[in-house]
Amino acid sequence: MTAHVAILMGVYNGAKFIEQQLDSFVSQTHQDWRLIASDDGSRDASASLITAFALEVPQTISIVQGPKAGVAVNFLSLLRDLEGDPDFVAFSDQDDVWLPEKLERAIAALSSFSPDQPMLLGTASYIVDDELNNKVRSPRFNRLPSFRNALVQSVAGGNTMLLNRAGWQLAKAAAAEALAVGGPFTHDWWLYQVISGAGGKVVRDEQPSLLYRQHGENLFGTNIGWMASALRLKQVLDGQLKEWCAQNTKALMESAHRLTPENREILNGFASMSGLRPGARLQKFRHLGLYRQGRASQKIVEVAAYLGRI
């Protein structure tokens, strides 16, 4: 008996590229999956394309109406409302192309651990343009995933993530709590925080699992090169990073009882930093052991801590 995967896809005006994403599901070497797509108010042919796809494949395809409150809320609503008992839950964007062994490889990686432990796997990806050309590998992350990293950085894109049964059950319960206060900034960053914070295991596979398409309609961009570092610094100085962290922290606090005692203490320490003087903020940041992947990124986040922009 093969493992059953529920694929949760957020959809909003995705007709231009969505057929290629759907076709990549069909090309998976692991075929025991179902798709639940949440259309968040599309004004194009997205829903009709998914409906036509459902008539062509043997898998179960469902379309639900999204809450129309942004990407993160859409995905968390999918999690909160998930029915049945899938072995694994995967997350999909509407404009990528999955590589054929994406599901098979991810399932194999998580199946080697205890099914009772919440698990999250995220992978690297290939960054491509509109036409799936100019392929560039996403940056490698050399430090191990942990809650201390999760508070200030996401370890992988949600489009690469897979949760085991214990992981999605934890995330499902926490999603209802986070949605009660408006949700986090992004669903993938929040998933990393919840799973690692609750003592689950987070694994990053450095082998890319998909083609991550970059185009004019992308909500978030890549994390490559000096331009990305310059953008992160601008986000710090403009106060965006502080807003994102505050939104994540607010959502995470609703699920603080699910965290380990050590990680609750770290979360409370992180939340208290804003009331300190600049030098004390940086000292607290370092005392908590918070870190981002990469030396340049770490320097930027320490500047953010000193300036009170986190």
Side-chain angles (χ1 to χ4, degrees), residues 8 74-83 89 91 163 167-169 171-173 175 187 190-191:
L8 308 184
N74 197 18
F75 274 108
L76 263 67
S77 297
L78 275 166
L79 259 176
R80 180 196 59 195
D81 300 336
L82 179 62
E83 297 179 349
V89 168
F91 300 86
L163 295 170
W168 73 252
Q169 288 175 342
K172 176 182 172 71
H187 67 289
W190 173 83
L191 283 167

Side-chain angles (χ1 to χ4, degrees), residues 147-287:
F147 187 65
R148 287 179 167 86
N149 178 219
L151 282 177
V152 293
Q153 182 182 32
S154 182
V155 76
N159 51 358
T160 74
M161 289 180 172
L162 187 79
L163 295 170
N164 70 350
R165 181 182 280 109
W168 73 252
Q169 288 175 342
L170 167 63
K172 176 182 172 71
E177 296 160 351
L179 287 170
V181 293
F185 173 60
T186 62
H187 67 289
D188 43 15
W189 194 354
W190 173 83
L191 283 167
Y192 180 24
Q193 293 174 338
V194 169
I195 300 297
S196 63
K201 186 165 184 64
V202 177
V203 177
R204 178 174 164 94
D205 184 354
E206 291 297 341
Q207 178 170 317
S209 65
L210 55 82
L211 304 181
Y212 177 24
R213 195 192 310 258
Q214 291 292 289
H215 54 84
E217 288 77 40
N218 275 95
L219 184 59
F220 302 109
T222 64
N223 191 29
I224 299 175
W226 69 268
M227 290 186 67
S229 296
L231 176 60
R232 285 194 295 272
L233 182 58
K234 182 178 185 300
Q235 290 166 343
V236 166
L237 297 177
D238 289 349
Q240 293 181 51
L241 180 61
K242 183 174 183 177
E243 291 177 8
W244 299 343
C245 288
Q247 188 173 346
N248 285 346
T249 299
K250 182 179 179 181
L252 198 56
M253 282 292 190
E254 294 299 303
S255 301
H257 60 287
R258 302 185 186 279
L259 308 185
T260 66
E262 178 185 3
N263 288 335
R264 278 199 302 273
E265 185 176 342
I266 293 171
L267 177 61
N268 289 331
F270 180 64
S272 71
M273 281 174 46
S274 60
L276 302 176
R277 295 188 301 274
R281 280 196 300 265
L282 180 57
Q283 184 178 17
K284 182 75 170 182
F285 182 91
R286 290 173 172 170
H287 175 74

Side-chain angles (χ1 to χ4, degrees), residues 129-148:
D129 62 19
D130 282 35
E131 304 301 321
L132 305 180
N133 297 320
N134 299 318
K135 186 168 68 175
V136 178
R137 193 195 177 286
S138 61
R140 291 182 179 274
F141 286 173
N142 296 317
R143 300 188 69 174
L144 291 175
S146 75
F147 187 65
R148 287 179 167 86

Side-chain angles (χ1 to χ4, degrees), residues 16-88:
K16 184 176 180 180
F17 300 115
I18 201 168
E19 289 179 292
Q20 288 180 304
Q21 176 67 293
L22 296 173
D23 288 344
S24 73
F25 298 158
V26 176
S27 299
Q28 289 298 298
T29 55
H30 182 91
Q31 282 290 296
D32 188 357
W33 53 264
R34 62 184 166 107
L35 171 66
I36 308 169
S38 180
D39 189 336
D40 215 25
S42 296
R43 298 183 298 277
D44 63 6
S46 295
S48 61
L49 290 172
I50 297 170
T51 299
F53 176 72
L55 299 175
E56 299 170 356
V57 298
Q59 288 86 357
T60 300
I61 313 296
S62 305
I63 305 177
V64 299
Q65 295 301 311
K68 301 180 183 179
V71 175
V73 172
N74 197 18
F75 274 108
L76 263 67
S77 297
L78 275 166
L79 259 176
R80 180 196 59 195
D81 300 336
L82 179 62
E83 297 179 349
D85 189 30
D87 299 291
F88 298 94

